[in-house]
């Protein structure tokens, strides 16, 4: 089969900041939308399971946390394909063949790494009991995990295909497919949890099965898109899926393991903060959950920008174009930090308005939770800028295929500086929840400063290739 030639490199090498901004926005906007829709998919599961009772809600919360932690770790591992594909497109040398190799080996890496994770999830009840969870909650969560683990491989495959589609200039499919997943999740939960549409009422297990159906539907949709989309199908991304390319396999592992660990360090930091809140009181945990959810929604924008920035910088890296690398990074950082500046101002000015989306701020019973959530949001507004900065800075460095040192920066910044400060201020200094959130802000600040320094010192550190 003869492939259509790739578009000329000059079409994707903007000469001005405005042109680069336009290219970045076209790429980032659908990814941001997909990220926000994915949060909605997660919310749907909670909404349906919450009606089943406290035990099932607790079991689903723990089960989803463990499953998502594992699945997104694997997606982080395979996301190394994104900067590799971008660099191959930037080089324009045998791009079709090289892109196909990267995608194929990303599937292989994800599949191989999934096996030990599946074993772990199959023993979810034991894991939760070892973590000191209530025996009945652990038992129900184990039953939930026994079903939802079936969706792990489709979920990882979706992550690979989403990264590939975005890198190949089709980010809009991420938004469309995630929208489909949201619709499927709503219908499947409604049918399987409560027994509608002639389906059996499976309760908690029905919610797990709905997640499997949603993830599988996404994988099937992407598979159809890869075969039908004119731009994507010429890469024949499923061609020779059995063929090994061990050098590319090792390259994805080399770049992907640090990305996986970086994401895990960051996610675990906020999970650790919730545990610290639990040592203080129930109201603190509730207020922390509200404030963190608001901050997490805002974070989806710089996270999407970071995903797009990896691709833009990666293309410039492959093209050996220092000016383009600088321009792509500069524009992405400006957009990410600028947006978070807007959200920081909004949260700072109207914190009660944001809290009111989760709890009745006028109810006397919620007075303490509302007061604490408003205090935490004031700190969240302060770290919005540095949160956006560290997310996009990590993204542009991934475009330079620089992942190992940023991983160590994340470990040091989040866990030595951030978590250490949270423990000291929260307990030793007696600041309680405010001290814990101050620690989170300090940790994010440390990571953002170190990552931004590394980006600005990229040439001195030898991260940028020599031009031809």
């Amino acid at each position: 089969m003869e492939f259509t030639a790739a578009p000329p490199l000059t079409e994707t090498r903007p000469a001005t900041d405005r042109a680069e901004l336009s290219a970045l926005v076209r790429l980032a906007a659908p990814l941001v939308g997909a990220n926000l829709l994915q949060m909605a998919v997660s919310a749907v599961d909670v909404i349906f399971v919450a009606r089943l009772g406290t035990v099932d809600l607790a079991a689903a919360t723990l089960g989803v946390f463990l499953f998502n932690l594992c699945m997104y770790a694997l997606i982080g591992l395979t996301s190394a394909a994104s900067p590799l594909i971008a660099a191959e497109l930037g080089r324009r040398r045998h791009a079709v063949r090289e892109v196909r190799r990267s995608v194929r080996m990303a599937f292989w890496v994800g599949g191989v790494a999934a096996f030990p994770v599946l074993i772990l999830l199959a023993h979810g009840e034991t894991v939760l009991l070892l973590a000191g969870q209530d025996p009945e909650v652990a038992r129900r969560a184990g039953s939930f995990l026994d079903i939802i683990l079936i969706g792990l491989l489709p979920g990882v495959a979706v992550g690979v295909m989403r990264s590939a589609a975005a890198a190949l200039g089709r980010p809009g499919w991420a938004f469309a497919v995630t929208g489909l997943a949201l619709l499927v999740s709503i219908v499947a939960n409604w049918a399987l949890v409560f027994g509608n549409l002639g389906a059996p009422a499976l309760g908690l297990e029905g919610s797990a099965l709905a997640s499997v159906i949603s993830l599988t539907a996404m994988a099937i949709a992407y598979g159809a898109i890869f075969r039908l989309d004119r731009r994507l199908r010429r890469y024949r991304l499923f061609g020779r899926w059995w063929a090994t390319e061990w050098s590319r396999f090792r390259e994805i592992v080399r770049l992907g393991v640090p990305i996986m660990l970086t994401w895990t360090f960051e996610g675990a930091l906020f999970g650790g903060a919730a545990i610290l809140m639990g040592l203080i009181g129930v109201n603190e945990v509730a207020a922390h959950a509200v404030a963190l959810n608001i901050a997490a929604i805002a974070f989806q924008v710089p996270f999407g920008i970071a995903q797009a920035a990896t691709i833009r910088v990666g293309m410039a890296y492959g093209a050996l174009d220092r000016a383009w690398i600088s321009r792509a990074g500069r524009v992405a950082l400006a957009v990410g930090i600028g947006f978070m500046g807007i959200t920081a101002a909004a949260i700072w000015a109207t914190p009660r308005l944001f809290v009111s989306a989760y709890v009745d701020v006028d109810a006397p019973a919620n007075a303490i939770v509302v007061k604490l959530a408003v205090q935490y949001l004031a700190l969240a507004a302060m770290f919005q800028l540095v949160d956006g900065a560290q997310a996009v800075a990590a993204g542009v460095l991934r475009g330079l295929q620089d992942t190992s040192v940023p991983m160590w920066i994340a470990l040091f910044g989040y866990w030595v500086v951030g978590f250490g400060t949270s423990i000291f201020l929260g307990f030793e200094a007696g600041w309680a929840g405010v001290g814990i959130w101050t620690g989170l802000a300090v940790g994010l600040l440390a990571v953002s400063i170190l990552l931004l320094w590394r980006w600005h010192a990229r040439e001195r550190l030898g991260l940028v290739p020599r031009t031809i």
Side-chain angles (χ1 to χ4, degrees):
M1 180 177 180
E2 185 175 342
F3 296 107
T4 307
L9 184 57
T10 53
E11 289 185 10
T12 55
R13 185 184 290 182
T16 65
D17 283 7
R18 177 174 292 184
E20 178 60 39
L21 174 62
S22 177
L24 177 73
V25 170
R26 287 197 304 272
L27 183 56
L31 298 178
V32 170
N35 292 342
L36 292 170
L37 284 176
Q38 190 60 54
M39 291 197 70
V41 173
S42 299
V44 165
D45 295 334
V46 174
I47 290 170
F48 280 97
V49 174
R51 301 184 181 184
L52 298 175
T54 303
V55 172
D56 279 354
L57 178 59
T61 300
L62 291 173
V64 168
F65 170 77
L66 187 57
F67 177 79
N68 283 344
L69 182 67
C70 293
M71 184 175 71
Y72 286 115
L74 293 176
I75 290 174
L77 174 64
T78 59
S79 70
S82 184
L84 292 175
I85 293 171
E88 288 151 5
L89 294 174
R91 292 186 193 100
R92 285 298 192 270
R93 296 174 183 169
H94 310 295
V96 169
R97 183 177 63 191
E98 295 301 321
V99 166
R100 187 165 60 244
R101 286 176 176 173
S102 292
V103 174
R104 183 168 69 243
M105 287 300 97
F107 280 127
W108 273 66
V109 169
V112 170
F115 280 103
V117 173
L118 287 169
I119 294 173
L120 174 70
L121 294 177
H123 295 83
E125 179 180 354
T126 302
V127 171
L128 293 173
L129 287 173
L130 290 174
Q133 300 301 310
D134 178 82
E136 178 61 17
V137 172
R139 185 188 68 80
R140 297 292 291 135
S143 299
F144 180 89
L145 286 167
D146 286 342
I147 296 173
I148 199 173
L149 65 79
I150 301 170
L152 183 69
L153 284 173
V156 174
V158 165
V160 173
M161 291 187 282
R162 169 181 158 144
S163 294
L168 294 172
R170 286 290 192 260
W173 287 123
F175 182 78
V177 171
T178 312
L180 169 67
L182 177 60
L183 178 61
V184 170
S185 181
I186 292 172
V187 174
N189 271 284
W190 181 67
L192 295 171
V193 174
F194 301 115
N196 294 301
L197 298 178
L202 300 178
L204 179 63
E205 287 76 8
S207 180
L209 184 56
S211 295
V212 172
I213 293 171
S214 177
L215 289 168
T216 304
M218 292 177 76
I220 293 172
Y222 269 119
I225 289 165
F226 275 21
R227 291 193 174 277
L228 298 175
D229 182 278
R230 180 176 298 179
R231 180 181 296 183
L232 297 177
R233 71 185 180 192
R234 66 188 179 87
Y235 288 92
R236 294 179 59 198
L237 296 176
F238 299 131
R240 292 175 54 81
W241 60 267
W242 62 87
T244 56
E245 297 281 350
W246 293 117
S247 61
R248 190 60 53 88
F249 185 99
R250 288 191 295 270
E251 195 170 9
I252 290 175
V253 171
R254 179 182 65 83
L255 294 175
V257 168
I259 297 173
M260 175 183 69
L261 292 176
T262 299
W263 288 10
T264 303
F265 292 153
E266 184 174 6
L269 172 68
F270 291 98
I275 293 174
L276 293 181
M277 287 290 187
L279 298 176
I280 300 173
V282 175
N283 289 324
E284 282 76 7
V285 173
H288 173 77
V290 170
L292 187 59
N293 197 264
I294 294 169
I297 292 173
F299 178 74
Q300 300 311 307
V301 176
F303 185 54
I305 293 170
Q307 293 170 315
T310 295
I311 296 170
R312 297 300 302 169
V313 173
M315 293 180 70
Y317 177 85
L320 305 178
D321 189 328
R322 289 172 180 251
W324 186 9
I325 289 173
S326 177
R327 182 179 301 114
R330 180 173 64 247
V331 169
L333 286 166
V335 173
I337 296 172
F339 177 84
M340 293 305 267
I342 295 173
T343 61
I347 292 173
W348 181 271
T350 58
R352 286 178 64 88
L353 177 63
F354 285 93
V355 174
S356 67
Y358 296 84
V359 298
D360 183 355
V361 296
D362 296 320
N366 297 332
I368 296 176
V369 172
V370 171
K371 178 182 177 181
L372 290 171
V374 168
Q375 291 177 351
Y376 301 161
L377 279 178
L379 292 163
M382 294 173 63
F383 75 57
Q384 289 289 294
L385 289 173
V386 292
D387 200 14
Q390 66 85 20
V392 181
V396 296
L397 287 171
R398 282 196 292 272
L400 299 179
Q401 301 183 18
D402 178 37
T403 60
S404 293
V405 172
M407 175 194 69
W408 291 110
I409 288 173
L411 177 60
F412 171 76
Y414 294 142
W415 283 95
V416 176
V417 177
F419 201 68
T421 302
S422 289
I423 292 174
F424 176 77
L425 294 180
F427 298 95
E428 296 297 325
W431 291 15
V434 171
I436 292 172
W437 270 76
T438 302
L440 296 179
V442 170
L444 289 168
L445 177 63
V447 172
S448 66
I449 289 174
L450 291 172
L451 291 179
L452 287 172
W453 172 84
R454 188 165 178 81
W455 166 254
H456 287 293
R458 60 191 178 278
E459 296 197 16
R460 195 162 67 249
L461 297 172
L463 303 178
V464 178
R466 295 180 179 179
T467 54
I468 298 175

